[in-house]
Amino acid sequence: MSDFLKQFGDDLEKNVPGFIAVSIAEIQTGMSYFSLSVVPEFDPELASAFNLEVVKAKMNAVSALGLKNQIVSDIMITLTSQIHIIDVSENNLYMIYLAVDSTKANLGMTKAILNKYKKEIASKL
């Protein structure tokens, strides 16, 4: 598992324009499996913990609205100079939290890389 997570972090850092930070956490418990930041004052585990509540709230809303056969795939939050992307694994057990610089980000490339790993996370964690 650690080789997979190291490759994941290295790939994002090298290939996601404007990469700031990433974290993988278990949705049910909030346990962090991996985090990486290129900005020392940006704590991806803390950010992930707060954004976990966003994911849980959206999942509860989908359920409360009776939206059958609908799952939360991803959530994007746009700040003044950053974009925060929250991707939920295909089995709804894990989330990837990614922060990028909005002036450098290529969302198409970023989503393609995240989608590649999102499929693997469910089976490798």
Side-chain angles (χ1 to χ4, degrees):
M1 174 170 71
S2 63
D3 288 340
F4 166 72
L5 293 175
K6 180 173 178 6
Q7 177 188 356
F8 168 76
D10 290 347
D11 196 9
L12 289 179
E13 185 177 2
K14 280 191 267 182
N15 296 312
V16 171
F19 175 84
I20 296 172
V22 67
S23 177
I24 298 176
E26 187 175 43
I27 293 171
Q28 188 71 24
T29 65
M31 184 173 135
S32 180
Y33 285 84
F34 177 80
S35 65
L36 172 68
S37 178
V38 296
V39 178
E41 59 274 3
F42 194 104
D43 183 348
E45 288 188 23
L46 179 61
S48 184
F50 278 105
N51 283 286
L52 185 60
E53 297 307 314
V54 172
V55 172
K56 287 179 178 179
K58 191 60 190 174
M59 287 177 163
N60 287 338
V62 167
S63 177
L65 292 169
L67 300 175
K68 298 189 184 332
N69 301 321
Q70 298 296 310
I71 60 166
V72 177
S73 176
D74 61 66
I75 300 168
M76 186 168 70
I77 301 168
T78 306
L79 304 176
T80 306
S81 65
Q82 297 178 1
I83 299 171
H84 295 196
I85 300 169
I86 305 163
D87 254 349
V88 178
S89 66
E90 292 186 342
N91 62 2
N92 275 354
L93 296 179
Y94 306 99
M95 71 170 226
I96 303 170
Y97 167 79
L98 174 68
V100 295
D101 180 323
S102 63
T103 64
K104 299 174 185 171
N106 177 327
L107 290 179
M109 181 185 305
T110 300
K111 287 297 294 170
I113 293 169
L114 285 176
N115 284 337
K116 170 186 159 190
Y117 284 103
K118 184 165 127 170
K119 291 176 182 177
E120 292 183 56
I121 284 173
S123 65
K124 296 197 176 186
L125 291 184

